[in-house]
Amino acid sequence: MTGESGEPQKFDPNQRFVHITNVRPDGFIEFDFSIGEPEIYVELVLPWQAFEAFCAHNQVKHLTAEEAANVEYDRLKWRYGKPGVTS
């Protein structure tokens, strides 16, 4: 991840990030959770109340639209070998 100056930020294990990827009709939240770098994450699913408690306990930062787009761009590179390629 890069900072506002365009330079890479140092890995900070105290930073926690959440990127909501889906809100299901059954009340469950699908989200990516990462520590230190938004691009390296685990996919989790929790009921809404548990999600809110999880976020509070971990003092997470919700990704901005730009940060989420960068994560999605990176996801495409890993999934398809280069961004924007779907097959």
Side-chain angles (χ1 to χ4, degrees):
M1 181 174 197
T2 57
E4 291 179 18
S5 66
E7 294 181 21
Q9 291 180 333
K10 292 183 180 180
F11 181 83
D12 181 358
N14 295 314
Q15 285 192 310
R16 311 289 167 92
F17 302 95
V18 163
H19 173 217
I20 296 174
T21 56
N22 190 28
V23 178
R24 297 180 358 186
D26 60 2
F28 282 83
I29 307 300
E30 297 177 8
F31 63 101
D32 299 337
F33 173 68
S34 51
I35 297 174
E37 295 182 24
E39 297 86 3
I40 301 173
Y41 55 87
V42 294
E43 297 173 347
L44 300 172
V45 178
L46 289 173
W48 184 256
Q49 275 190 308
F51 171 75
E52 287 182 325
F54 177 88
C55 290
H57 176 77
N58 285 287
Q59 299 176 342
V60 302
K61 174 185 182 269
H62 289 265
L63 297 184
T64 65
E66 182 179 346
E67 290 167 331
N70 288 337
V71 169
E72 292 299 326
Y73 181 82
D74 194 60
R75 187 184 317 232
L76 288 172
K77 288 191 301 187
W78 282 102
R79 186 168 291 155
Y80 302 112
K82 55 184 165 179
V85 178
T86 59
S87 59

